[in-house]
Amino acid sequence: MAKYKIAWLPGDGVGVDVMDAAKIVLDRIGLDAEYIHGDIGWEFWRTEGDAFPARTIDLLKNVDAAMFGAITSKPLKAAEAELADSLKGTGLQYRSPIVRMRQLFDLYICLRPCKAYPGNPLNFKEGLDLVVFRENTEDLYAGVEFSPVPPELCDTLGKLSKAFAPFGKLPPNEYAVSCKINTRKGSERIARAAFEFARKFNRKKVTVVHKANVVRATDNLFLEMAREVHKDFPEIQMDEANIDALTMWLLKNPFNYDVLVAPNLYGDIISDLCAQMVGGLGFGCSGNIGEKLAVFEPTHGSAPKYAGQYKVNPIATILTAKMMLDWLGEAEKGTRLEQAVATVIAEGQARTYDMGGKTSTLEMAEAIAAKL
Ligand code: IPM
Ligand code: MG
């Protein structure tokens, strides 16, 4: 029996292409693993009304980790329109499988390292090495949303909040409500994960991202918990930044930042920004990490227009595999894989189209495998 069971979830579009590439390097590095395919994605939404079928949820209950490619997501109405005729009008609502997975398995850390590998022509600046800790289960992603707004909710909000008065006059179809819900526990544990990482890897500073001057209830709670956790890590500097200002400062003075910790939506935004600073989505890797399970995925989406062309850059997914190796406790293999990636980037022979070259997805994987 293999040492590890890994769920293999390519999903949609280029998810398939980049996962094929990741498999090449994992096989070459000799991870003692059994890879078990799981159905997930748009096809299962259309044909079964569920993009994340129960059988895939069961699979995830019985593995050590999962690798996940990408998934096509569409707004509610567009999703309903693509359902098989027999499923239309049955009240099915599309919800992003990755968001569900994060909640269902309590994968509360979204870890997104953004490192500029030397010689990558797409680096915004050489030497960048940012790490984003994004809270992954709550905030505006809680899924508590109303459109149209039910009269009970309207009445209650009218009673409880003066600020609601102008909205309460509107007909239910003229507005929508999405709840931003942040808990003490959720805020505490993501802050702790960021500080523990900083301690373990000798990072100097953790920046807490918020908008507490306007979004007072939830973001103040998030800040308060971060300040509380910081007391246990006196050797690490903590600073606080408003999300809007941070996007400017990050571009202006990126070397002022080190580890960033943010509630879910702000973390989503800054992780794309940080990924772009180190080469774009072809380099953004991410881990959705809980106590029992971790699911590793590239930050990029399914890019349907490139699906099956084996053109996109697999490095994000290959770095994602490196994160999985580290998480499994196979740090020696993880480090070797990262070095192989770094060498290929530095040598500059293999370059996918985003890097200005013609190397295909699988050729890039072979080039990296050859360095292992
Ligand atoms: C990400 C993605 C997802 C998110 C989408 C695909 C639901 O943008 O992983 O950052 O918003 O979390
Ligand atoms: Mg995102």
Side-chain angles (χ1 to χ4, degrees):
M1 231 181 72
K3 185 165 175 198
Y4 303 109
K5 269 190 180 174
I6 312 284
W8 198 255
L9 316 172
D12 297 318
V14 300
V16 176
D17 308 26
V18 293
M19 289 282 279
D20 284 351
K23 191 71 187 342
I24 291 174
V25 298
L26 284 169
D27 284 346
R28 186 71 56 92
I29 212 159
L31 183 70
D32 183 10
E34 179 193 353
Y35 299 94
I36 309 161
H37 177 92
D39 290 339
I40 196 163
W42 199 249
E43 183 192 332
F44 305 99
W45 162 252
R46 287 198 308 105
T47 56
E48 302 176 21
D50 192 352
F52 186 25
R55 59 185 176 280
T56 307
I57 296 176
D58 287 339
L59 168 66
L60 287 174
K61 290 180 185 155
N62 293 301
V63 293
D64 297 294
M67 285 280 294
F68 169 62
I71 263 185
T72 301
S73 282
K74 296 189 187 178
L76 274 181
K77 291 228 166 65
E80 152 114 62
E82 289 194 29
L83 275 175
D85 284 343
S86 60
L87 296 171
K88 281 203 178 95
T90 56
L92 288 167
Q93 286 206 348
Y94 185 81
R95 264 199 88 202
S96 161
I98 184 67
V99 174
R100 278 168 64 199
M101 192 190 300
R102 290 165 180 166
Q103 288 174 337
L104 201 55
F105 289 92
D106 203 21
L107 309 174
Y108 65 94
I109 302 170
C110 184
L111 172 57
R112 295 187 157 168
C114 298
K115 194 191 279 190
Y117 289 94
N120 179 356
L122 299 173
N123 285 339
F124 174 61
K125 292 204 164 101
E126 289 287 343
L128 283 172
D129 189 4
L130 299 161
V131 180
V132 178
F133 278 80
R134 163 186 177 190
E135 198 291 319
N136 218 17
T137 58
E138 44 188 56
D139 195 58
L140 268 167
Y141 282 67
V144 183
E145 306 199 90
F146 305 92
S147 175
V149 178
E152 306 91 293
L153 180 61
C154 178
D155 289 349
T156 308
L157 289 174
K159 282 187 198 125
L160 297 179
S161 167
K162 278 206 185 85
F164 186 70
F167 306 107
K169 297 191 189 96
L170 299 170
N173 259 315
E174 288 300 312
Y175 68 118
V177 173
S178 298
C179 299
K180 172 165 157 83
I181 305 179
N182 300 72
T183 65
R184 280 192 193 281
K185 179 182 166 194
S187 309
E188 203 271 347
R189 61 187 182 171
I190 192 67
R192 192 165 293 283
F195 278 104
E196 271 167 4
F197 177 93
R199 176 172 282 167
K200 184 166 174 200
F201 295 102
N202 280 316
R203 299 280 188 148
K204 305 243 155 359
K205 181 157 96 175
V206 173
T207 300
V208 186
V209 185
H210 67 92
K211 185 75 189 180
N213 54 343
V214 178
V215 187
R216 288 177 304 216
T218 46
D219 284 8
N220 271 308
L221 184 139
F222 191 82
L223 260 184
E224 196 188 305
M225 295 318 292
R227 290 178 189 148
E228 204 53 48
V229 171
H230 181 218
K231 292 183 185 151
D232 295 336
F233 300 83
E235 81 281 16
I236 295 157
Q237 193 193 330
M238 175 178 132
D239 72 6
E240 301 170 5
N242 278 302
I243 172 73
D244 53 341
L246 178 74
T247 58
M248 288 207 278
W249 292 335
L250 257 177
L251 287 181
K252 191 164 176 238
N253 300 319
F255 295 104
N256 286 355
Y257 299 93
D258 190 343
V259 176
L260 300 141
V261 62
N264 210 336
L265 184 65
Y266 308 149
D268 180 42
I269 296 167
I270 56 167
S271 59
D272 274 18
L273 174 57
C274 293
Q276 186 57 41
M277 290 164 73
V278 299
L281 292 172
F283 294 84
C285 51
S286 103
N288 302 282
I289 301 171
E291 298 298 341
K292 295 204 193 88
L293 178 72
V295 178
F296 297 88
E297 53 159 342
T299 302
H300 64 68
S302 63
K305 70 174 177 184
Y306 293 130
Q309 293 182 25
Y310 289 88
K311 177 175 176 174
V312 298
N313 192 344
I315 289 180
T317 311
I318 290 171
L319 289 171
T320 289
K322 174 249 187 279
M323 292 178 75
M324 179 179 77
L325 292 169
D326 289 347
W327 188 78
L328 288 170
E330 299 283 347
E332 181 272 333
K333 288 189 168 63
T335 305
R336 267 205 292 139
L337 181 51
E338 184 178 26
Q339 275 161 2
V341 170
T343 305
V344 167
I345 293 172
E347 287 180 359
Q349 298 297 313
R351 293 257 195 262
T352 42
Y353 86 99
D354 54 321
M355 301 171 82
K358 292 205 165 74
T359 304
S360 75
T361 305
L362 299 183
E363 284 163 356
M364 179 57 98
E366 290 293 353
I368 292 166
K371 302 289 179 196
L372 287 166

